Short mmCIF file of all heavy atoms in Angstrom, two decimals:
data_model
loop_
_atom_site.label_atom_id
_atom_site.label_comp_id
_atom_site.label_asym_id
_atom_site.label_seq_id
_atom_site.Cartn_x
_atom_site.Cartn_y
_atom_site.Cartn_z
N MET A 264 83.74 166.47 119.66
CA MET A 264 84.79 166.93 120.63
C MET A 264 84.50 168.42 120.81
O MET A 264 84.35 169.21 119.95
CB MET A 264 86.19 166.89 119.97
CG MET A 264 87.15 166.05 120.72
SD MET A 264 88.65 165.94 120.03
CE MET A 264 89.64 165.42 121.38
N THR A 265 84.38 168.80 122.16
CA THR A 265 84.21 170.18 122.44
C THR A 265 85.47 171.00 122.52
O THR A 265 86.53 170.48 123.03
CB THR A 265 83.41 170.33 123.73
OG1 THR A 265 84.16 169.61 124.72
CG2 THR A 265 82.09 169.80 123.64
N ALA A 266 85.49 172.18 121.90
CA ALA A 266 86.67 172.93 121.83
C ALA A 266 87.06 173.49 123.31
O ALA A 266 86.12 173.90 124.07
CB ALA A 266 86.62 174.15 120.96
N ARG A 267 88.29 173.24 123.67
CA ARG A 267 88.67 173.68 125.01
C ARG A 267 88.87 175.25 125.00
O ARG A 267 89.24 175.82 123.92
CB ARG A 267 90.04 173.06 125.34
CG ARG A 267 89.86 171.70 125.91
CD ARG A 267 91.20 171.26 126.37
NE ARG A 267 91.06 169.92 127.08
CZ ARG A 267 92.01 169.31 127.69
NH1 ARG A 267 93.29 169.90 127.68
NH2 ARG A 267 91.95 168.17 128.34
N ARG A 268 88.69 175.79 126.10
CA ARG A 268 89.01 177.28 126.25
C ARG A 268 90.47 177.42 126.11
O ARG A 268 91.25 176.69 126.76
CB ARG A 268 88.55 177.78 127.62
CG ARG A 268 88.25 179.18 127.59
CD ARG A 268 87.51 179.56 128.92
NE ARG A 268 88.09 178.78 130.03
CZ ARG A 268 88.52 179.44 131.23
NH1 ARG A 268 88.24 180.84 131.39
NH2 ARG A 268 88.94 178.79 132.17
N PRO A 269 90.77 178.30 125.17
CA PRO A 269 92.30 178.55 124.92
C PRO A 269 92.94 179.03 126.13
O PRO A 269 92.36 179.80 126.97
CB PRO A 269 92.34 179.51 123.77
CG PRO A 269 90.99 180.18 123.77
CD PRO A 269 89.98 179.16 124.29
N LEU A 270 94.15 178.49 126.29
CA LEU A 270 95.02 178.99 127.46
C LEU A 270 95.33 180.51 127.26
O LEU A 270 95.57 180.84 126.20
CB LEU A 270 96.13 178.09 127.54
CG LEU A 270 96.18 176.75 127.95
CD1 LEU A 270 97.36 175.91 127.77
CD2 LEU A 270 95.67 176.62 129.48
N SER A 271 95.35 181.12 128.33
CA SER A 271 95.77 182.50 128.27
C SER A 271 97.20 182.68 127.94
O SER A 271 97.97 181.73 128.17
CB SER A 271 95.36 183.25 129.69
OG SER A 271 96.27 182.79 130.58
N THR A 272 97.53 183.77 127.46
CA THR A 272 99.05 184.04 127.23
C THR A 272 99.83 183.85 128.34
O THR A 272 100.96 183.34 128.40
CB THR A 272 99.19 185.39 126.57
OG1 THR A 272 98.21 185.62 125.61
CG2 THR A 272 100.54 185.52 126.04
N ALA A 273 99.45 184.37 129.47
CA ALA A 273 100.15 184.25 130.77
C ALA A 273 100.35 182.83 131.20
O ALA A 273 101.37 182.42 131.53
CB ALA A 273 99.40 185.12 131.84
N ARG A 274 99.28 182.12 131.02
CA ARG A 274 99.34 180.59 131.37
C ARG A 274 100.24 179.85 130.47
O ARG A 274 101.16 179.09 130.90
CB ARG A 274 97.91 179.95 131.21
CG ARG A 274 97.80 178.57 131.56
CD ARG A 274 97.85 178.27 133.04
NE ARG A 274 97.69 176.89 133.29
CZ ARG A 274 98.24 176.19 134.36
NH1 ARG A 274 98.86 176.94 135.21
NH2 ARG A 274 98.16 175.01 134.56
N LEU A 275 100.31 180.16 129.19
CA LEU A 275 101.16 179.58 128.25
C LEU A 275 102.66 179.98 128.56
O LEU A 275 103.55 179.14 128.62
CB LEU A 275 100.90 180.06 126.82
CG LEU A 275 99.73 179.29 126.09
CD1 LEU A 275 99.49 179.87 124.82
CD2 LEU A 275 100.07 177.82 125.96
N ALA A 276 102.87 181.18 128.94
CA ALA A 276 104.16 181.64 129.30
C ALA A 276 104.74 180.96 130.51
O ALA A 276 105.84 180.61 130.69
CB ALA A 276 104.19 183.23 129.47
N TYR A 277 103.78 180.79 131.45
CA TYR A 277 104.14 180.11 132.69
C TYR A 277 104.54 178.64 132.41
O TYR A 277 105.46 178.13 132.92
CB TYR A 277 102.91 180.17 133.62
CG TYR A 277 103.07 179.31 134.87
CD1 TYR A 277 103.94 179.67 135.91
CD2 TYR A 277 102.31 178.15 135.16
CE1 TYR A 277 104.19 178.97 137.02
CE2 TYR A 277 102.47 177.40 136.21
CZ TYR A 277 103.34 177.83 137.26
OH TYR A 277 103.58 177.03 138.35
N LEU A 278 103.79 177.93 131.54
CA LEU A 278 104.17 176.66 131.26
C LEU A 278 105.42 176.60 130.44
O LEU A 278 106.30 175.47 130.79
CB LEU A 278 102.93 175.99 130.40
CG LEU A 278 101.67 175.67 131.04
CD1 LEU A 278 100.67 175.27 130.08
CD2 LEU A 278 101.80 174.69 132.16
N ASP A 279 105.74 177.45 129.63
CA ASP A 279 107.00 177.52 128.91
C ASP A 279 108.11 177.69 129.97
O ASP A 279 109.18 177.11 129.82
CB ASP A 279 106.97 178.75 127.97
CG ASP A 279 106.51 178.41 126.60
OD1 ASP A 279 106.00 177.23 126.30
OD2 ASP A 279 106.34 179.25 125.71
N GLN A 280 107.91 178.40 130.96
CA GLN A 280 108.99 178.70 131.84
C GLN A 280 109.18 177.41 132.73
O GLN A 280 110.27 177.03 133.04
CB GLN A 280 108.42 179.85 132.89
CG GLN A 280 109.01 181.18 132.51
CD GLN A 280 108.56 182.20 133.55
OE1 GLN A 280 107.92 181.94 134.52
NE2 GLN A 280 109.04 183.41 133.26
N LEU A 281 108.09 176.77 133.15
CA LEU A 281 108.14 175.51 133.81
C LEU A 281 108.94 174.49 133.03
O LEU A 281 109.87 173.81 133.63
CB LEU A 281 106.80 174.83 134.01
CG LEU A 281 105.98 175.28 135.22
CD1 LEU A 281 104.77 174.47 135.51
CD2 LEU A 281 106.88 175.36 136.54
N GLU A 282 108.75 174.41 131.77
CA GLU A 282 109.56 173.36 130.86
C GLU A 282 110.93 173.80 130.81
O GLU A 282 111.77 172.95 130.94
CB GLU A 282 108.89 173.40 129.52
CG GLU A 282 109.20 172.06 128.83
CD GLU A 282 108.80 172.14 127.24
OE1 GLU A 282 107.73 172.59 126.96
OE2 GLU A 282 109.68 171.70 126.49
N ALA A 283 111.20 175.14 130.64
CA ALA A 283 112.59 175.59 130.52
C ALA A 283 113.25 175.19 131.85
O ALA A 283 114.49 174.88 131.88
CB ALA A 283 112.58 177.12 130.28
N VAL A 284 112.75 175.49 132.91
CA VAL A 284 113.32 175.24 134.24
C VAL A 284 113.68 173.78 134.39
O VAL A 284 114.70 173.35 134.90
CB VAL A 284 112.43 175.77 135.47
CG1 VAL A 284 112.89 175.20 136.72
CG2 VAL A 284 112.40 177.30 135.43
N GLU A 285 112.72 172.82 134.03
CA GLU A 285 112.82 171.49 134.15
C GLU A 285 113.90 170.98 133.27
O GLU A 285 114.72 170.18 133.76
CB GLU A 285 111.48 170.79 133.70
CG GLU A 285 111.58 169.29 133.68
CD GLU A 285 111.86 168.64 134.96
OE1 GLU A 285 111.75 169.36 136.00
OE2 GLU A 285 112.10 167.47 135.11
N ARG A 286 114.01 171.53 131.97
CA ARG A 286 115.17 171.14 131.08
C ARG A 286 116.45 171.58 131.74
O ARG A 286 117.44 170.86 131.57
CB ARG A 286 114.91 171.83 129.69
CG ARG A 286 113.76 171.15 128.98
CD ARG A 286 113.62 171.97 127.63
NE ARG A 286 114.81 171.85 126.70
CZ ARG A 286 114.87 170.88 125.86
NH1 ARG A 286 113.94 169.93 125.72
NH2 ARG A 286 115.91 170.85 125.04
N LEU A 287 116.49 172.72 132.20
CA LEU A 287 117.72 173.35 132.93
C LEU A 287 118.17 172.33 134.04
O LEU A 287 119.30 172.01 134.19
CB LEU A 287 117.49 174.70 133.35
CG LEU A 287 118.68 175.62 133.54
CD1 LEU A 287 119.26 175.84 132.07
CD2 LEU A 287 118.15 176.99 134.09
N ARG A 288 117.13 172.04 134.88
CA ARG A 288 117.53 171.15 136.05
C ARG A 288 118.05 169.82 135.51
O ARG A 288 119.08 169.47 136.19
CB ARG A 288 116.19 170.88 136.89
CG ARG A 288 116.32 170.11 138.12
CD ARG A 288 114.97 169.76 138.76
NE ARG A 288 114.33 168.81 137.95
CZ ARG A 288 114.48 167.36 137.90
NH1 ARG A 288 115.48 166.83 138.73
NH2 ARG A 288 113.80 166.69 137.23
N VAL A 289 117.35 169.19 134.61
CA VAL A 289 117.84 167.90 134.22
C VAL A 289 119.20 167.96 133.59
O VAL A 289 120.18 167.17 133.78
CB VAL A 289 116.90 167.22 133.22
CG1 VAL A 289 117.44 166.02 132.49
CG2 VAL A 289 115.57 166.91 133.89
N GLY A 290 119.46 169.04 132.78
CA GLY A 290 120.72 169.20 132.12
C GLY A 290 121.89 169.53 133.12
O GLY A 290 122.86 168.91 133.02
N ILE A 291 121.62 170.30 134.13
CA ILE A 291 122.64 170.72 135.10
C ILE A 291 123.02 169.40 136.00
O ILE A 291 124.23 169.29 136.29
CB ILE A 291 122.10 171.77 135.99
CG1 ILE A 291 122.04 173.19 135.37
CG2 ILE A 291 122.99 171.82 137.38
CD1 ILE A 291 121.45 174.21 136.12
N LEU A 292 121.99 168.67 136.33
CA LEU A 292 122.33 167.47 137.10
C LEU A 292 122.89 166.30 136.45
O LEU A 292 123.29 165.21 136.88
CB LEU A 292 120.96 167.00 137.76
CG LEU A 292 120.42 167.89 138.81
CD1 LEU A 292 119.09 167.44 139.27
CD2 LEU A 292 121.39 168.25 139.92
N GLY A 293 123.04 166.49 135.11
CA GLY A 293 123.69 165.45 134.16
C GLY A 293 122.81 164.58 133.41
O GLY A 293 123.25 163.50 132.74
N GLY A 294 121.46 164.88 133.37
CA GLY A 294 120.55 164.09 132.59
C GLY A 294 120.60 164.75 131.23
O GLY A 294 121.30 165.52 130.81
N CYS A 295 119.48 164.19 130.44
CA CYS A 295 119.29 164.69 129.11
C CYS A 295 117.95 165.33 128.90
O CYS A 295 117.00 164.47 128.94
CB CYS A 295 119.67 163.65 128.04
SG CYS A 295 119.37 164.30 126.32
N PRO A 296 117.84 166.58 128.77
CA PRO A 296 116.39 167.12 128.54
C PRO A 296 115.79 166.73 127.28
O PRO A 296 114.56 166.58 127.15
CB PRO A 296 116.73 168.70 128.47
CG PRO A 296 118.16 168.77 128.96
CD PRO A 296 118.84 167.48 128.68
N ASP A 297 116.57 166.30 126.22
CA ASP A 297 116.03 165.99 124.88
C ASP A 297 115.28 164.73 124.97
O ASP A 297 114.24 164.59 124.29
CB ASP A 297 117.17 165.88 123.87
CG ASP A 297 117.77 167.31 123.64
OD1 ASP A 297 117.10 168.23 123.64
OD2 ASP A 297 118.99 167.33 123.26
N CYS A 298 115.78 163.76 125.70
CA CYS A 298 114.88 162.56 125.76
C CYS A 298 114.41 162.33 127.25
O CYS A 298 113.90 161.26 127.54
CB CYS A 298 115.71 161.34 125.36
SG CYS A 298 117.23 161.04 126.40
N GLU A 299 114.32 163.37 127.98
CA GLU A 299 113.77 163.46 129.32
C GLU A 299 114.44 162.31 130.17
O GLU A 299 113.72 161.60 130.85
CB GLU A 299 112.25 163.29 129.24
CG GLU A 299 111.77 164.54 128.57
CD GLU A 299 110.14 164.51 128.54
OE1 GLU A 299 109.53 163.35 128.72
OE2 GLU A 299 109.61 165.43 128.24
N THR A 300 115.77 161.97 130.08
CA THR A 300 116.36 161.07 130.90
C THR A 300 116.84 161.63 132.19
O THR A 300 117.67 162.66 132.04
CB THR A 300 117.57 160.42 130.08
OG1 THR A 300 117.03 159.83 128.98
CG2 THR A 300 118.23 159.40 131.07
N GLU A 301 116.45 161.27 133.33
CA GLU A 301 116.84 161.85 134.58
C GLU A 301 118.24 161.42 134.86
O GLU A 301 118.80 160.45 134.30
CB GLU A 301 115.98 161.20 135.68
CG GLU A 301 114.47 161.69 135.74
CD GLU A 301 114.39 163.20 136.20
OE1 GLU A 301 115.19 163.56 137.13
OE2 GLU A 301 113.46 163.94 135.67
N PRO A 302 118.97 162.17 135.61
CA PRO A 302 120.35 161.96 135.78
C PRO A 302 120.76 160.51 136.31
O PRO A 302 121.61 159.92 135.83
CB PRO A 302 120.75 163.01 136.95
CG PRO A 302 119.81 164.03 136.63
CD PRO A 302 118.48 163.47 136.27
N ASP A 303 119.84 160.05 137.18
CA ASP A 303 120.11 158.60 137.58
C ASP A 303 119.59 157.57 136.69
O ASP A 303 119.71 156.40 136.91
CB ASP A 303 119.60 158.34 139.04
CG ASP A 303 117.97 158.74 139.05
OD1 ASP A 303 117.44 159.00 137.94
OD2 ASP A 303 117.32 158.55 140.10
N GLU A 304 119.05 158.10 135.53
CA GLU A 304 118.59 157.02 134.53
C GLU A 304 119.59 156.99 133.31
O GLU A 304 119.47 156.14 132.41
CB GLU A 304 117.21 157.39 133.99
CG GLU A 304 116.07 157.27 134.95
CD GLU A 304 114.74 157.79 134.50
OE1 GLU A 304 114.82 158.65 133.56
OE2 GLU A 304 113.73 157.53 135.16
N MET A 305 120.66 157.79 133.36
CA MET A 305 121.71 157.65 132.31
C MET A 305 122.33 156.35 132.39
O MET A 305 122.41 155.71 133.47
CB MET A 305 122.78 158.75 132.61
CG MET A 305 122.07 160.27 132.60
SD MET A 305 121.50 160.68 131.05
CE MET A 305 122.94 161.24 130.20
N CYS A 306 122.79 155.81 131.17
CA CYS A 306 123.40 154.65 131.07
C CYS A 306 124.60 154.42 131.92
O CYS A 306 125.52 155.26 131.88
CB CYS A 306 123.77 154.33 129.60
SG CYS A 306 124.65 152.71 129.44
N ALA A 307 124.63 153.48 132.77
CA ALA A 307 125.78 153.28 133.71
C ALA A 307 126.99 152.80 132.98
O ALA A 307 128.08 153.07 133.49
CB ALA A 307 125.35 152.12 134.70
N GLY A 308 126.87 152.32 131.83
CA GLY A 308 127.97 151.79 130.99
C GLY A 308 128.61 152.92 130.39
O GLY A 308 129.94 152.98 130.48
N CYS A 309 128.05 153.83 129.78
CA CYS A 309 128.74 154.78 128.99
C CYS A 309 128.28 156.26 129.30
O CYS A 309 128.87 157.17 128.72
CB CYS A 309 128.48 154.64 127.44
SG CYS A 309 126.63 154.78 126.98
N GLY A 310 127.42 156.41 130.22
CA GLY A 310 127.00 157.71 130.62
C GLY A 310 126.10 158.50 129.76
O GLY A 310 125.81 159.68 129.88
N ARG A 311 125.77 157.79 128.66
CA ARG A 311 124.92 158.52 127.59
C ARG A 311 123.40 158.34 127.91
O ARG A 311 123.01 157.47 128.82
CB ARG A 311 125.20 157.97 126.25
CG ARG A 311 126.53 158.48 125.76
CD ARG A 311 126.90 158.15 124.36
NE ARG A 311 127.05 156.65 124.29
CZ ARG A 311 127.48 156.02 123.18
NH1 ARG A 311 127.74 156.59 122.09
NH2 ARG A 311 127.52 154.68 123.20
N CYS A 312 122.55 158.97 127.22
CA CYS A 312 121.14 158.92 127.48
C CYS A 312 120.48 158.12 126.31
O CYS A 312 121.21 157.48 125.52
CB CYS A 312 120.65 160.38 127.40
SG CYS A 312 120.93 161.21 125.90
N GLN A 313 119.17 158.28 126.30
CA GLN A 313 118.47 157.40 125.27
C GLN A 313 118.52 158.00 123.91
O GLN A 313 117.87 157.45 122.89
CB GLN A 313 117.08 157.22 125.71
CG GLN A 313 116.90 156.42 127.00
CD GLN A 313 115.64 156.67 127.77
OE1 GLN A 313 114.58 156.69 127.08
NE2 GLN A 313 115.58 156.42 129.08
N CYS A 314 119.11 159.18 123.74
CA CYS A 314 119.39 159.63 122.30
C CYS A 314 120.36 158.83 121.50
O CYS A 314 120.51 158.96 120.40
CB CYS A 314 119.92 161.15 122.38
SG CYS A 314 118.73 162.23 123.20
N HIS A 315 121.11 157.97 122.29
CA HIS A 315 122.13 157.11 121.60
C HIS A 315 121.72 155.76 121.71
O HIS A 315 120.79 155.24 122.40
CB HIS A 315 123.50 157.25 122.39
CG HIS A 315 123.89 158.80 122.49
ND1 HIS A 315 124.74 159.41 121.61
CD2 HIS A 315 123.69 159.55 123.51
CE1 HIS A 315 124.82 160.70 121.97
NE2 HIS A 315 124.30 160.73 123.15
N THR A 316 122.32 154.93 120.75
CA THR A 316 121.94 153.58 120.64
C THR A 316 122.66 152.56 121.52
O THR A 316 122.26 151.49 121.71
CB THR A 316 122.22 153.06 119.11
OG1 THR A 316 123.54 153.42 118.81
CG2 THR A 316 121.16 153.81 118.22
N HIS A 317 123.71 153.03 122.10
CA HIS A 317 124.54 152.28 123.07
C HIS A 317 125.03 150.83 122.37
O HIS A 317 125.09 149.86 123.16
CB HIS A 317 123.68 151.84 124.24
CG HIS A 317 123.19 153.11 124.98
ND1 HIS A 317 123.65 153.70 126.04
CD2 HIS A 317 122.19 153.86 124.65
CE1 HIS A 317 123.10 154.78 126.44
NE2 HIS A 317 122.05 154.86 125.61
N ASP A 318 125.29 150.94 121.07
CA ASP A 318 125.85 149.67 120.48
C ASP A 318 127.06 149.16 121.03
O ASP A 318 127.33 148.01 121.09
CB ASP A 318 125.91 149.91 118.99
CG ASP A 318 124.57 149.96 118.27
OD1 ASP A 318 123.74 149.39 118.80
OD2 ASP A 318 124.54 150.53 117.12
N THR A 319 128.04 150.13 121.44
CA THR A 319 129.30 149.64 121.86
C THR A 319 129.47 149.59 123.38
O THR A 319 130.52 149.15 123.79
CB THR A 319 130.34 150.63 121.23
OG1 THR A 319 130.05 151.99 121.67
CG2 THR A 319 130.33 150.59 119.79
N CYS A 320 128.54 150.05 124.08
CA CYS A 320 128.75 150.07 125.48
C CYS A 320 128.31 148.74 126.23
O CYS A 320 127.42 148.00 125.83
CB CYS A 320 128.03 151.13 126.12
SG CYS A 320 126.35 150.95 126.63
N THR A 321 129.14 148.37 127.14
CA THR A 321 128.73 147.27 127.93
C THR A 321 127.92 147.77 129.25
O THR A 321 128.34 148.66 129.80
CB THR A 321 129.97 146.49 128.55
OG1 THR A 321 130.80 147.36 129.13
CG2 THR A 321 130.69 145.80 127.35
N ARG A 322 126.84 147.16 129.41
CA ARG A 322 126.09 147.61 130.63
C ARG A 322 126.45 146.80 131.85
O ARG A 322 126.18 145.62 131.85
CB ARG A 322 124.56 147.49 130.16
CG ARG A 322 124.41 148.13 128.99
CD ARG A 322 122.78 148.27 128.65
NE ARG A 322 122.64 148.69 127.27
CZ ARG A 322 121.54 149.33 126.89
NH1 ARG A 322 120.55 149.48 127.77
NH2 ARG A 322 121.48 149.81 125.63
N PRO A 323 126.96 147.47 132.83
CA PRO A 323 127.45 146.89 134.04
C PRO A 323 126.46 145.93 134.63
O PRO A 323 126.77 144.84 135.14
CB PRO A 323 127.77 148.07 134.97
CG PRO A 323 128.14 149.11 133.95
CD PRO A 323 127.14 148.93 132.83
N GLU A 324 125.21 146.36 134.72
CA GLU A 324 124.28 145.60 135.36
C GLU A 324 124.04 144.32 134.83
O GLU A 324 124.13 143.17 135.39
CB GLU A 324 122.85 146.36 135.42
CG GLU A 324 121.98 145.99 136.59
CD GLU A 324 120.61 146.80 136.53
OE1 GLU A 324 120.64 147.94 136.20
OE2 GLU A 324 119.70 146.09 136.67
N ALA A 325 123.86 144.22 133.35
CA ALA A 325 123.82 142.98 132.77
C ALA A 325 125.00 142.19 132.87
O ALA A 325 125.08 140.94 132.91
CB ALA A 325 123.36 143.24 131.28
N ALA A 326 126.12 142.91 132.59
CA ALA A 326 127.47 142.18 132.73
C ALA A 326 127.60 141.55 134.02
O ALA A 326 128.16 140.42 134.20
CB ALA A 326 128.57 143.19 132.44
N ALA A 327 127.24 142.31 135.25
CA ALA A 327 127.45 141.60 136.42
C ALA A 327 126.65 140.44 136.64
O ALA A 327 127.07 139.44 137.18
CB ALA A 327 127.11 142.82 137.45
N ARG A 328 125.38 140.56 136.07
CA ARG A 328 124.48 139.36 136.23
C ARG A 328 124.98 138.21 135.54
O ARG A 328 125.00 137.10 135.86
CB ARG A 328 123.06 139.80 135.73
CG ARG A 328 121.95 139.49 136.63
CD ARG A 328 120.61 139.76 136.02
NE ARG A 328 120.29 141.21 136.38
CZ ARG A 328 119.83 142.07 135.45
NH1 ARG A 328 119.57 141.71 134.18
NH2 ARG A 328 119.51 143.31 135.67
N LEU A 329 125.52 138.48 134.27
CA LEU A 329 126.09 137.41 133.56
C LEU A 329 127.35 136.68 134.19
O LEU A 329 127.47 135.60 134.24
CB LEU A 329 126.55 137.98 132.12
CG LEU A 329 127.05 136.92 131.09
CD1 LEU A 329 125.83 136.03 130.59
CD2 LEU A 329 127.67 137.67 129.92
N ARG A 330 128.32 137.61 134.73
CA ARG A 330 129.40 137.16 135.60
C ARG A 330 129.00 136.30 136.67
O ARG A 330 129.52 135.24 136.95
CB ARG A 330 130.20 138.36 135.95
CG ARG A 330 131.69 138.03 135.96
CD ARG A 330 132.54 139.35 136.30
NE ARG A 330 132.21 140.46 135.53
CZ ARG A 330 131.98 141.73 135.83
NH1 ARG A 330 131.88 141.99 137.18
NH2 ARG A 330 131.78 142.66 135.05
N LEU A 331 127.91 136.78 137.32
CA LEU A 331 127.48 135.92 138.45
C LEU A 331 127.02 134.58 138.01
O LEU A 331 127.20 133.60 138.67
CB LEU A 331 126.31 136.66 139.15
CG LEU A 331 125.88 136.47 140.46
CD1 LEU A 331 127.08 136.77 141.40
CD2 LEU A 331 124.67 137.05 141.05
N ALA A 332 126.24 134.48 136.96
CA ALA A 332 125.73 133.32 136.41
C ALA A 332 126.87 132.48 136.03
O ALA A 332 126.81 131.17 136.34
CB ALA A 332 124.80 133.54 135.25
N LEU A 333 127.87 132.98 135.37
CA LEU A 333 129.04 132.19 135.01
C LEU A 333 129.75 131.70 136.15
O LEU A 333 130.19 130.47 136.22
CB LEU A 333 129.97 132.99 134.15
CG LEU A 333 129.43 133.41 132.72
CD1 LEU A 333 130.39 134.31 131.98
CD2 LEU A 333 129.21 132.05 131.91
N THR A 334 129.91 132.49 137.21
CA THR A 334 130.69 132.05 138.39
C THR A 334 129.92 130.86 139.02
O THR A 334 130.47 129.90 139.54
CB THR A 334 130.75 133.23 139.36
OG1 THR A 334 131.21 134.39 138.69
CG2 THR A 334 131.75 132.84 140.50
N ASP A 335 128.66 131.07 139.16
CA ASP A 335 127.79 129.94 139.68
C ASP A 335 127.96 128.71 138.85
O ASP A 335 128.10 127.52 139.50
CB ASP A 335 126.36 130.32 139.70
CG ASP A 335 125.96 131.31 140.87
OD1 ASP A 335 126.97 131.52 141.67
OD2 ASP A 335 124.95 131.91 140.96
N ASP A 336 127.92 128.72 137.64
CA ASP A 336 128.06 127.57 136.71
C ASP A 336 129.51 126.95 137.04
O ASP A 336 129.54 125.70 137.21
CB ASP A 336 128.03 128.03 135.25
CG ASP A 336 126.55 128.01 134.80
OD1 ASP A 336 125.81 127.64 135.61
OD2 ASP A 336 126.29 128.40 133.65
N THR A 337 130.52 127.68 137.11
CA THR A 337 131.83 127.18 137.29
C THR A 337 131.99 126.42 138.64
O THR A 337 132.57 125.44 138.75
CB THR A 337 132.88 128.39 137.18
OG1 THR A 337 132.61 129.25 136.20
CG2 THR A 337 134.29 127.95 137.26
N ARG A 338 131.33 127.13 139.61
CA ARG A 338 131.32 126.56 140.96
C ARG A 338 130.71 125.28 141.00
O ARG A 338 131.19 124.17 141.68
CB ARG A 338 130.69 127.46 141.92
CG ARG A 338 131.51 127.61 143.26
CD ARG A 338 130.73 128.71 144.13
NE ARG A 338 131.12 130.02 143.97
CZ ARG A 338 130.29 130.99 144.02
NH1 ARG A 338 128.93 130.83 144.56
NH2 ARG A 338 130.72 132.30 143.89
N GLU A 339 129.60 125.03 140.27
CA GLU A 339 128.91 123.87 140.30
C GLU A 339 129.53 122.76 139.59
O GLU A 339 129.54 121.57 139.87
CB GLU A 339 127.49 123.98 139.69
CG GLU A 339 126.43 124.53 140.68
CD GLU A 339 125.11 124.99 140.03
OE1 GLU A 339 124.89 124.42 139.01
OE2 GLU A 339 124.55 125.84 140.58
N THR A 340 130.26 123.00 138.48
CA THR A 340 130.86 121.97 137.60
C THR A 340 132.26 121.49 138.14
O THR A 340 132.73 120.55 137.76
CB THR A 340 131.04 122.50 136.13
OG1 THR A 340 131.71 123.81 136.15
CG2 THR A 340 129.74 122.54 135.52
N GLN A 341 132.75 122.41 139.14
CA GLN A 341 134.10 121.95 139.55
C GLN A 341 134.04 121.27 140.87
O GLN A 341 133.37 121.55 141.66
CB GLN A 341 135.04 123.26 139.72
CG GLN A 341 135.56 123.63 138.32
CD GLN A 341 136.45 124.96 138.47
OE1 GLN A 341 136.44 125.54 139.47
NE2 GLN A 341 137.09 125.29 137.43
ZN1 ZN B 47 119.02 162.26 125.26
ZN1 ZN B 48 125.29 152.88 127.26
#
């Protein structure tokens, strides 16, 4: 492995700033910078991010799909 030319201090500071700005942006818009969850990727059920386990939340997307399946079943059997 060849050693890479070390980044200059200015370049490192710039990258730090970029990351800080990105974290700020995600945080302000309602996302979570810690797990890099974009605002529109937050859990629709509980509004939390991937830092949480979501053990207790119902996920509307899955629930809606289940309800749809149940409705279809009911319709067919009646
Ligand atoms: Zn998070
Ligand atoms: Zn959730």
